[in-house]
Amino acid sequence: MSFDRRTLMRGAAVAGLAGVALPGVAAATGLEFRIRHQYRPFDLIAPGFVQYDAPARAGAVTTGVRPVAPFCTVLVRSSGAVAAGLVGDGTAVLGRYSAGAASIEVTVGGTTTVVESVAAELPEGAGFAVVVNENAVTVLADTGAGWRPLLTNRDGVRALIDLRDPRVLRGLSYGYEGATGQVRAGYYGQAGVRDPHVVQYADGRPYIRDGKLYLTLTNAGLGFFQQAHWGVWTLDLANPTRLTQVANLFFARDGVVLGDHAGQIVIDGDEFVLAMSSWGDFNFTGVHVRYVRTRANVLSGVHVLPTRRMPLPTDVSSWDPAMTRIDGQWHVAFVESPAQSPAFVFHPALARGRTLERLAPVGADLTLDQTEGTIIQRIQGQWYVLASDGDARVYRKYDLAMRPQGTLNAPYGTNIPHPMVFRYRDRYWMVTFEGTQFAGPVLGYGTHGDFIVMTE
């Protein structure tokens, strides 16, 4: 299914508009952001997360190397007929090219079903990739002009097998046949990135080590929200074109492993507090915020973490959590959403409490219905809740009582970019994203976007 952001979440298809304040609403005094860098992270396998790298062998090869979450890729080169994917004893999920057609096939109990196929021409030596994002399988080819998807299928695969089930995944490893050259496999990277949120201490200070800012990003999958997952990255503040993924985060709930995302990591003493949105199994029937405390070093490596629902004081859907402890109380900003179908309706809200388990409502801006990307940040000595208004195309500011305080003076591009502001060496920065899709006609909505760095 194909989605346009304007159709799906109204108000995000306007391109390149500046963050000009609405009439009668003042922008931030003396603070004006300008775009310094804009670029697109794209990797079918995340650099640093390659699990298998070896010369191709003849015949059908089972590597014995397994991912712990269903977000992975196998890259090979074609010698004519070729196949790659996940294989086990009587079970397999493969992308295949043979005799002028590319296909996706699933084998369960020794019985093979061709889920989907499409005409294709793959010259000998061309790159051939099979990507698993949740239960979506995508076959791509590189014939010299970069990777392009040939076909993708989620529903047909899920009807036969559930790759989110850890029992199923434990029985599968990377495999291939008919390949030449080098074979590489590992954790899927991203078609683009979105939802930046700086890793911070509980008091709001950004976590920066050796001049590198740590932040979380939603790694866009090759499809809709369920195909994305969460990653931890570093941004070299001396050279902001160097954005490097350092961790892959997945979450166990309801008996499956999911790529929940769009959240925040807070360092609280010797623990990490992670809060994220339940987009990993989104089906238009609700979203909520989940969280976990852990002493595991989630800023490095691959993790599958159990989570529980955060008891936010709302009886409607919620996402985009932002947590900071101010004057001894946790402040949690989030998005409230009374509806996701037939249209999304969402606005910013704030809760407060001595613990994350006992939060009381502070306020919400019920006048808006296309506003997300909540951030809590101190700017020029004052604490604000920031949020992105997709209808007005501005970054709104609120005080800690959720009273409007004007807007940020910053460029506002496509989609609903999040206003992730932070301070480093007496200078304010903002990192955000935009809405350009990768191969939208084949993959549909969800494959955005570019990473954007702004400074004063």
Side-chain angles (χ1 to χ4, degrees):
M1 182 178 293
S2 177
F3 292 92
D4 175 78
R5 183 73 168 178
R6 168 65 67 174
T7 302
L8 184 65
M9 297 170 111
R10 301 188 336 256
V14 180
L17 300 183
V20 180
L22 294 176
V25 181
T29 303
L31 190 63
E32 180 180 359
F33 289 100
R34 298 183 183 276
I35 295 175
R36 308 299 182 185
H37 304 279
Q38 180 170 342
Y39 53 93
R40 178 80 165 216
F42 182 95
D43 294 288
L44 294 185
I45 299 179
F49 292 90
V50 176
Q51 296 177 274
Y52 181 86
D53 190 349
R57 290 180 280 155
V61 177
T62 301
T63 67
V65 179
R66 296 174 171 82
V68 299
F71 292 84
C72 55
T73 301
V74 183
L75 301 179
V76 300
R77 288 206 170 272
S78 166
S79 62
V82 65
L86 296 171
V87 298
D89 186 11
T91 305
V93 177
L94 294 171
R96 185 179 296 277
Y97 173 79
S98 180
S103 62
I104 296 168
E105 61 182 43
V106 175
T107 301
V108 177
T111 299
T112 298
T113 301
V114 177
V115 173
E116 186 174 345
S117 64
V118 64
E121 289 298 330
L122 192 64
E124 187 171 333
F128 184 79
V130 178
V131 173
V132 172
N133 294 146
E134 191 241 19
N135 279 309
V137 177
T138 304
V139 177
L140 304 96
D142 182 359
T143 59
W147 291 106
R148 305 305 298 174
L150 301 176
L151 75 164
T152 188
N153 190 288
R154 177 174 180 259
D155 292 345
V157 173
R158 175 62 189 91
L160 298 167
I161 194 171
D162 190 353
L163 296 172
R164 307 171 307 165
D165 186 333
R167 296 169 299 179
V168 172
L169 204 57
R170 280 194 295 269
L172 298 172
S173 68
Y174 301 119
Y176 64 91
E177 58 182 283
T180 62
Q182 201 76 2
V183 176
R184 300 172 70 239
Y187 289 98
Y188 169 75
Q190 69 291 320
V193 293
R194 55 182 183 263
D195 311 330
H197 211 135
V198 167
V199 176
Q200 66 170 62
Y201 294 98
D203 62 7
R205 289 174 296 139
Y207 184 77
I208 299 172
R209 286 291 177 270
D210 301 322
K212 295 180 179 179
L213 174 79
Y214 283 72
L215 70 161
T216 57
L217 290 166
T218 297
N219 291 19
L222 302 181
F224 197 46
F225 294 169
Q226 308 95 326
Q227 278 76 73
H229 76 283
W230 216 22
V232 182
W233 298 68
T234 61
L235 178 66
D236 188 340
L237 297 174
N239 181 358
T241 63
R242 293 179 179 172
L243 184 67
T244 304
Q245 187 174 353
V246 294
N248 271 303
L249 303 179
F250 307 101
F251 303 100
R253 60 181 173 91
D254 302 324
V256 294
V257 176
L258 299 168
D260 290 336
H261 50 265
Q264 183 192 24
I265 297 177
V266 171
I267 302 169
D268 186 20
D270 61 354
E271 291 186 316
F272 294 95
V273 184
L274 293 79
M276 71 295 300
S277 312
S278 69
W279 293 116
D281 60 356
F282 179 63
N283 62 0
F284 292 92
T285 59
V287 189
H288 64 277
V289 172
R290 301 186 68 83
Y291 77 120
V292 60
R293 285 183 175 270
T294 180
R295 287 185 170 85
N297 180 14
V298 296
L299 304 185
S300 179
V302 180
H303 301 267
V304 177
L305 300 170
T307 63
R308 55 178 168 156
R309 187 168 186 148
M310 181 176 284
L312 293 173
T314 181
D315 57 2
V316 299
S317 283
S318 57
W319 63 80
D320 287 355
M323 308 171 290
T324 302
R325 192 161 50 215
I326 304 170
D327 296 331
Q329 293 198 90
W330 282 105
H331 290 66
V332 181
F334 60 99
V335 171
E336 277 190 319
S337 174
Q340 299 89 51
S341 181
F344 274 68
V345 176
F346 46 102
H347 57 255
L350 181 67
R352 182 171 57 223
R354 291 289 176 185
T355 70
L356 293 174
E357 291 70 36
R358 297 182 65 85
L359 297 167
V362 173
D365 190 345
L366 302 180
T367 68
L368 306 175
D369 66 4
Q370 298 293 300
T371 305
E372 61 182 359
T374 44
I375 305 289
I376 297 176
Q377 190 53 269
R378 193 173 186 175
I379 302 175
Q380 298 175 330
Q382 299 293 321
W383 284 105
Y384 295 102
V385 174
L386 308 177
S388 182
D389 185 343
D391 275 341
R393 317 304 294 166
V394 295
Y395 304 106
R396 296 192 177 274
K397 300 191 304 171
Y398 302 86
D399 65 16
L400 295 186
M402 282 303 289
R403 294 175 297 215
Q405 300 295 310
T407 63
L408 290 175
N409 189 350
Y412 197 107
T414 55
N415 205 270
I416 306 182
H418 296 187
M420 184 60 254
V421 174
F422 65 97
R423 193 177 185 185
Y424 176 64
R425 291 185 176 174
D426 298 323
R427 188 184 194 187
Y428 287 98
W429 299 57
M430 186 164 115
V431 291
T432 189
F433 65 102
E434 53 80 80
T436 302
Q437 304 289 321
F438 167 68
V442 176
L443 301 177
Y445 176 81
T447 59
H448 53 295
D450 287 6
F451 184 71
I452 298 171
V453 180
M454 305 185 205
T455 62
E456 297 179 76

